Amino acid sequence: TRALQDEDVGPARIAEYVEYDPAVASTVLRVANSAAYGGWNRVDNIRDAVVRLGAARLLDIVLGDYLRRLKVSAPLYDLAEEDLWLHSAAASLAVKALQRERPRAGIPETASIAALVHDIGKLVMVRFLKADVKQVLAVRDEKNIAFVEAERELFGCDHAQVGGEMARRWGFPEDITAAIEQHHSVPVPAPSPTVDAVIIANLAAKAIGTGLGAEGMDLRLDEHVHRRLKLDFAGFSRVCIQTVAWLKDLKASYGVK
């Protein structure tokens, strides 16, 4: 990630890093040639793929491929293998669709990376917290609160807070860390185009049926997010439709049904 954030590191150097890992290199070429990433004219080498994608999208692909290969089930959230990756990928694509829908909203390229990793806290929660999904749902129903609030009640933290701390320790850029940490915050304590975009992308990814699990559509959203992005219902619908189309193509490039 440091190489991708360094403005002095050019495409040739980045390509060298990618070529050291055959699995990543093949993924970068395959995804760079998909319609979701503008692959109308085929590229056949890593350097051309890096130039086409740019550093932010390249990191998006590399991290996405890593999440896909993890194949982690998340019983605490009632998510099977592939579910977490599909939701993350859908959220990342939804940011791209949102950038297209609202080109003047100031949403940076790195927002798609933030959307891709917005739920990394769930990986830690699943591994280290011995709790059954039924316990979370029971607290949610008893207290009439959102699923993420029930996490806080049971564990003293939620997956967004855990993910934010992970990102901070890993040295992620502050805007990505903030988006991970605040994507369930109501109200959003420190709004930014990246944070707002990730919140909408998470909603869009769930609206099209990815990553629902036990949480489902049980979300509380800061009502000002849509207003800050100047996104109405029709615009949100177009974001969802475009995300579905791109996700279908991305799944095909990975051979996922």
Side-chain angles (χ1 to χ4, degrees), residues 102-211:
R102 299 292 306 130
R104 298 182 180 179
I107 302 169
E109 286 294 321
T110 52
S112 65
I113 299 171
L116 180 70
V117 296
H118 74 278
D119 271 343
I120 56 171
K122 287 183 177 179
L123 298 176
V124 174
M125 302 283 276
V126 166
R127 180 166 183 177
F128 294 105
L129 297 179
K130 306 302 181 184
D132 189 275
V133 64
K134 293 179 181 178
Q135 292 177 273
V136 183
L137 293 175
V139 171
R140 182 196 68 178
D141 295 342
E142 177 188 347
K143 300 195 173 185
N144 192 29
I145 55 179
F147 189 93
V148 70
E149 294 173 304
E151 282 184 320
R152 294 179 205 134
E153 287 283 331
L154 273 174
F155 311 125
C157 60
D158 61 50
H159 68 271
Q161 294 167 332
V162 171
E165 186 57 32
M166 288 172 62
R168 195 169 287 110
R169 289 177 178 270
W170 288 344
F172 278 27
E174 184 53 39
D175 62 332
I176 294 179
T177 299
I180 295 170
E181 196 166 47
Q182 298 177 37
H183 76 272
H184 279 298
S185 297
V186 180
V188 176
S192 73
T194 296
V195 173
D196 288 344
V198 170
I199 290 171
I200 294 298
N202 180 45
L203 178 63
K206 284 184 173 290
I208 66 172
T210 67

Side-chain angles (χ1 to χ4, degrees), residues 30-31 33-38 93 243-255:
R30 182 171 64 248
V31 178
N33 283 308
S34 71
Y37 284 85
L93 293 172
T243 301
V244 168
W246 281 339
L247 185 62
K248 180 180 179 181
D249 185 73
L250 186 64
K251 289 167 66 177
S253 73
Y254 279 111

Side-chain angles (χ1 to χ4, degrees), residues 17-96:
Y17 286 120
V18 173
E19 287 171 338
Y20 284 132
D21 188 327
V24 172
S26 63
T27 297
V28 168
L29 280 175
R30 182 171 64 248
V31 178
N33 283 308
S34 71
Y37 284 85
W40 303 113
N41 298 314
R42 185 172 181 79
V43 295
D44 297 310
N45 61 76
I46 296 298
R47 180 167 181 170
D48 288 346
V50 171
V51 171
R52 166 178 289 178
L53 295 166
R57 287 188 178 181
L58 179 62
L59 181 55
D60 195 354
I61 291 170
V62 172
L63 287 173
D65 186 60
Y66 177 73
L67 286 174
R68 184 187 67 85
R69 285 192 278 171
L70 278 178
K71 289 188 175 296
V72 175
S73 61
L76 177 59
Y77 300 94
D78 197 22
L79 296 172
E81 287 186 1
E82 302 279 9
D83 286 348
L84 191 58
W85 168 69
L86 280 174
H87 174 70
S88 300
S92 181
L93 293 172
V95 166
K96 290 179 58 187

